[in-house]
Amino acid sequence: MTDKITVLVTGGGGYIGSHAVLALRDGGWPVVVLDDESNSTGVLVPADVPYVKGSIADRALVAATLRDHRIGAIMHFAGSILVAESVTDPLKYYRNNTQASLVLIEEVVAAGIPHFVFSSTAAIYGAPERLPIDEDDPKLPINPYGVSKWMTEQMLADAARPSASSKVHDFNYAALRYFNVAGADPQLRSGQIGRTSTHIVKIATEAALEKRPHVDVFGVDYPTPDGSCIRDYIHVSDLAAAHVAALEKLIERPSENLLLNCGYGTGLSVIEVLDALDTVVQRKVPRVIGPRRPGDPPQLVASNRALVETLDWTPAHADIHRIISDALAWERKLADGTPV
Ligand code: UFG
């Protein structure tokens, strides 16, 4: 049984961070959230979770939060997350992701906090030639979002040399590289909020509830069996559980770091996702075949061998119909105006 240290969740008000908060609390971990509300409102954070409104780039605030709440581990989600925006406003991504993470890491080191779980992304691999993607495959990100996350991983890799040398910092870290995260908490305590999402499952469920007229399919001329892009979709609650399992492993093995792809190792095309939606709602949700979206790699599928073998983690919701029905139930809750 792992000792339950207090975990600071940066970006804990956001979509994935809030699910991590729920998973930690469900596992009995004390949690504190730090969130600047740049992409959330705090409404997804349970009322009894200590909540600090502010930025990870605010050095004094971070130092005070770590000290005042006796933080023993970090889960770091805070950051900017839109690939397309990272192309038009790259410096925002280096500022909010890379530079702000540097401040956080420096304060974590100064406070002597021994464990750090980092929210990384499949975008660090760019458009890989070989599938499924292994953790040691080339890191060739094709947009500033991916570069900003890869730079943070490199800072952690250089700074965290757990117990290996007295000259560098004695903490260990996990970089969890997410593939396509979707769905909602099965108890509907959290899910994706906001109407600006570009994610296919969110958009598809909005279309199913007639919040939008149709779903655009961005290209059916890719070198895939049905011509649409293939992705590896993972349920957000399984991903959140992987964070808790990664933290437990960091505590259990303090001299090791973890680099783990987070996906199911199963590729689904956009057309297959929309077919699954039609099955769930038992009607044909209108789709419009259109041109490619710039920058989309044809296929991204994880090898999750390391995740499965390293962590005490078994996915509980590894089915696209389950992902879609939870996302749909959440979308209905939003449509009903039910207070989240
Ligand atoms: N798509 C459509 N229509 C839409 C939206 C998306 O056809 O309305 C397609 C996209 O073209 C793509 C697929 O659905 O082929 C998945 O697109 P998403 O926008 O849902 O997700 P991405 O794969 O583009 O990106 C996600 C995260 C990124 C992360 C990346 C890594 O949003 O942050 O996965 O795999 F970097």
Side-chain angles (χ1 to χ4, degrees):
M1 186 70 183
T2 314
D3 284 345
K4 302 294 197 220
I5 52 183
T6 301
V7 183
L8 179 69
V9 182
T10 77
Y15 170 50
I16 302 174
S18 64
H19 285 84
V21 168
L22 294 173
L24 286 163
R25 272 169 40 104
D26 291 348
W29 299 81
V31 183
V32 176
V33 167
L34 174 63
D35 198 302
D36 69 359
E37 301 190 357
S38 56
N39 193 30
S40 63
T41 60
V43 71
L44 299 177
V45 180
D48 58 346
V49 169
Y51 184 90
V52 180
K53 184 180 172 189
S55 168
I56 57 163
D58 182 341
R59 191 178 291 280
L61 178 69
V62 171
T65 304
L66 298 178
R67 185 185 60 237
D68 295 350
H69 293 276
R70 298 173 180 273
I71 298 299
I74 309 291
M75 282 194 188
H76 174 32
F77 297 89
S80 297
I81 56 167
L82 301 175
V83 171
E85 183 189 52
S86 81
V87 176
T88 55
D89 191 0
L91 298 182
K92 175 176 175 182
Y93 282 71
Y94 296 116
R95 187 171 62 247
N96 288 353
N97 293 355
T98 313
Q99 190 182 1
S101 292
L102 174 60
V103 174
L104 176 67
I105 295 165
E106 285 176 329
E107 292 310 313
V108 163
V109 166
I113 291 168
H115 310 295
F116 195 107
V117 179
F118 174 56
S119 165
S120 188
T121 171
I124 66 172
Y125 299 111
E129 290 180 2
R130 201 171 67 101
L131 294 175
I133 303 167
D134 269 330
E135 284 80 357
D136 54 3
D137 282 353
K139 314 304 179 297
L140 298 167
I142 54 173
N143 50 61
Y145 169 72
V147 180
S148 72
K149 289 282 187 175
W150 176 231
M151 289 167 79
T152 305
E153 277 207 36
Q154 289 175 296
M155 291 193 295
L156 286 165
D158 288 340
R161 294 263 185 251
S163 306
S165 160
S166 56
K167 291 184 191 146
V168 275
H169 312 300
D170 191 15
F171 73 101
N172 66 346
Y173 78 99
L176 301 186
R177 298 168 180 166
Y178 312 159
F179 282 65
N180 285 62
V181 188
D185 173 48
Q187 296 175 50
L188 302 185
R189 296 169 296 176
S190 186
Q192 258 181 299
I193 290 187
R195 297 298 311 278
T196 56
S197 177
T198 55
H199 295 129
I200 184 70
V201 172
K202 173 81 173 166
I203 283 171
T205 52
E206 288 173 356
L209 296 184
E210 296 175 353
K211 294 183 185 179
R212 51 175 82 226
H214 64 264
V215 187
D216 290 304
V217 178
F218 294 145
V220 288
D221 57 349
Y222 286 95
T224 60
D226 65 23
S228 64
C229 286
I230 290 177
R231 295 288 183 271
D232 185 342
Y233 295 88
I234 179 170
H235 194 294
V236 65
S237 296
D238 280 339
L239 180 67
H243 284 74
V244 178
L247 175 60
E248 287 171 341
K249 194 59 67 178
L250 290 179
I251 294 168
E252 184 189 314
R253 298 185 188 166
S255 61
E256 288 181 28
N257 297 321
L258 303 169
L259 307 175
L260 299 172
N261 287 341
C262 293
Y264 294 142
T266 305
L268 289 173
S269 72
V270 172
I271 298 291
E272 287 173 317
V273 170
L274 297 180
D275 286 347
L277 174 74
D278 289 353
T279 302
V280 170
V281 299
Q282 297 188 316
R283 71 181 177 87
K284 289 208 169 298
V285 176
R287 45 178 103 153
V288 174
I289 307 294
R292 292 183 179 195
R293 186 173 69 177
D296 279 338
Q299 300 195 49
L300 289 173
V301 180
S303 161
N304 71 357
R305 190 181 46 80
L307 178 72
V308 170
E309 288 179 2
T310 310
L311 302 186
D312 182 11
W313 175 84
T314 310
H317 316 290
D319 171 42
I320 191 65
H321 301 90
R322 177 64 196 270
I323 290 173
I324 288 171
S325 57
D326 286 343
L328 196 62
W330 173 257
E331 209 56 48
R332 281 205 184 93
K333 183 172 173 177
L334 292 180
D336 290 348
T338 312
V340 172

